[in-house]
Amino acid sequence: MRSLAAAITDSPTASQSLHRFVNASPWEWEPVRGQLRRWVEERTRPKAWTIGVAVVPKRGDQSCGVHRRFVPALGRTINCQVGIGQFLATSRGPIPVDWRLHLPGEWSEEKLRRRTRIPEAVHPVPAWAQVLDLADTMAADASPPLPLVVDLREYTEPDRLLLGLRQRARDFVVAVPDSLAVQLPGAVRPSGPAADRSASPISARRFLETEGELLRSVLGTSHLRPSGLTRVVTGLVRLPRGPQPQRFYRLFAEVPREGDQPTALWLTTLVHLSLEELLELASLPATIPRALRRLEGSFGLQDFEGRSYPGWHRHVTLVSAACGFQELSEVDPAGLPGTVPPARLIRAPRRPAQLPA
């Protein structure tokens, strides 16, 4: 806050005013995010959206949503907040447009909720439910329907998220566990002792090994994937449970070279797309870690100094808006260079803190 305030004024109280603007002022963040999403969509025509999980280390236990969590990237358990971000996949890279703060079960305690100003309508829910909430918010905002591209293997109860997307008739390209139950495309539901054995579900990995078609696909140049040749195994399947039981889905995976680890299995509703297009979409989650590092290093994602639920949401909203502005301010809605100059980072010389005598 002090660095931001010092960039525009010498006032010794400016940083405190800026802190109050983020943490205590009453402005609503949802309309700002809706406008940000529409602004990004107009300038980039994104093809999909994906999810980024931001882990924010915390020293104490007073910040909203803070809890103990094992972080694989650090190899240890830390105190942290966890933010679930919605990113639009654009030609400029992923841009954040919406967020949810993950609240573990202990944050249902009334004392904690009052202290951090958690709204009555907000309750601890699993991460998969928050992803569905992000999808619902996008639909309610009248945004163009975009497929969700995400690795479900990173979630507990991935079948719950998959079922929620199917119930909402949302398109998706998702990495699924090897054990996901699928049915052959010609299978029918069992209706008695004489039912066709082909109706029995098998695992997704087993399906590709025994029924998948091996293809050699030529990939064009892409900002997400290098050009070259790759082998792909694929096939159409049905899902045995849930809504629309007769719908076809495409299951596919790259075939690893000898000695390599098995690759992820991807399931999609977009059966009309080419494998080249599907593989490019499937590469989107790999772009998120770098985007999160940039939000942390260049835009202060981890630098919120308050402890409240509203303050956290206003902070990540401003971080997202700053990122989107710097990436896209020179692009007009037609996708052509505009007249607005690109955003510049203003750096002020460091000043000693002006403390009262």
Side-chain angles (χ1 to χ4, degrees):
M1 291 295 178
R2 288 190 295 271
S3 297
L4 286 170
I8 57 173
T9 179
D10 292 328
S11 169
T13 62
S15 62
Q16 181 180 358
S17 298
L18 185 57
H19 179 78
R20 288 184 60 83
F21 174 71
V22 175
N23 194 51
S25 60
W27 61 274
E28 299 179 358
W29 57 87
E30 293 95 339
V32 179
R33 293 181 190 172
Q35 181 62 25
L36 172 62
R37 183 189 296 109
R38 290 187 290 273
W39 190 79
V40 173
E41 289 168 347
E42 289 173 356
R43 284 161 174 75
T44 64
R45 313 296 194 269
K47 292 185 177 181
W49 64 284
T50 188
I51 295 295
V53 178
V55 177
V56 182
K58 291 290 181 180
R59 292 184 179 178
D61 58 0
Q62 300 298 303
S63 297
C64 185
V66 72
H67 61 286
R68 300 285 292 171
R69 171 181 289 249
F70 178 76
V71 180
L74 300 176
R76 58 192 176 92
T77 300
I78 63 171
N79 267 16
C80 63
Q81 291 172 310
V82 174
I84 299 176
Q86 180 185 62
F87 289 73
L88 293 182
T90 77
S91 59
R92 302 295 186 95
I95 296 179
V97 294
D98 205 354
W99 292 88
R100 297 294 182 269
L101 178 61
H102 179 62
L103 298 176
E106 60 265 29
W107 282 89
S108 59
E109 184 181 331
E110 187 59 31
K111 182 180 178 180
L112 295 176
R113 297 174 64 85
R114 284 199 308 269
R115 191 189 73 211
T116 55
R117 294 187 285 145
I118 299 175
E120 290 184 6
V122 176
H123 300 282
V125 295
W128 61 264
Q130 293 183 301
V131 174
L132 291 178
D133 188 41
L134 288 168
D136 291 342
T137 300
M138 176 181 282
D141 199 36
S143 294
L146 296 173
L148 168 63
V149 183
V150 67
D151 190 343
L152 294 190
R153 300 171 303 168
E154 300 177 356
Y155 291 81
T156 57
E157 300 182 285
D159 54 321
R160 301 287 296 274
L161 178 51
L162 188 58
L163 177 60
L165 293 170
R166 295 168 64 196
Q167 290 173 331
R168 290 161 172 77
R170 299 282 186 264
D171 284 325
F172 54 78
V173 182
V174 296
V176 296
D178 291 2
S179 59
L180 178 75
V182 300
Q183 286 180 316
L184 301 181
V188 296
R189 287 189 169 186
S191 56
D196 187 347
R197 290 183 180 179
S198 67
S200 299
I202 61 173
S203 73
R205 176 69 66 177
R206 180 66 175 164
F207 170 84
L208 287 182
E209 290 174 348
T210 60
E211 306 290 339
E213 179 183 6
L214 183 63
L215 303 175
R216 184 178 296 275
S217 178
V218 179
L219 297 181
T221 302
S222 163
H223 71 286
L224 296 176
R225 296 176 56 88
S227 60
L229 293 173
T230 186
R231 292 189 302 163
V232 178
V233 60
T234 185
L236 295 178
V237 298
R238 300 186 194 275
L239 296 180
R241 292 183 296 274
Q244 302 173 314
Q246 300 308 310
R247 179 169 186 172
F248 288 110
Y249 301 83
R250 180 172 295 282
L251 187 66
F252 66 96
E254 291 189 68
V255 179
R257 292 172 294 186
E258 186 174 353
D260 287 351
Q261 293 295 317
T263 57
L265 275 57
W266 292 85
L267 184 75
T268 182
T269 57
L270 303 175
V271 296
H272 61 286
L273 292 186
S274 68
L275 282 169
E276 287 83 359
E277 292 172 297
L278 290 174
L279 288 171
E280 181 167 359
L281 287 173
S283 65
L284 288 175
T287 66
I288 294 300
R290 182 178 179 183
L292 287 171
R293 290 194 297 270
R294 185 162 185 264
L295 288 175
E296 295 165 5
S298 299
F299 299 100
L301 179 63
Q302 297 190 345
D303 298 337
F304 176 53
E305 297 175 355
R307 297 173 176 175
S308 72
Y309 180 93
W312 184 89
H313 274 280
R314 295 188 188 104
H315 174 73
V316 296
T317 299
L318 294 173
V319 165
S320 300
C323 175
F325 179 75
Q326 189 170 73
E327 289 293 336
L328 303 176
S329 61
E330 79 278 13
V331 178
D332 67 15
L336 301 173
T339 58
V340 181
R344 275 191 313 113
L345 221 71
I346 303 174
R347 299 191 181 277
R350 285 190 176 272
R351 299 181 176 90
Q354 300 181 31
L355 301 177

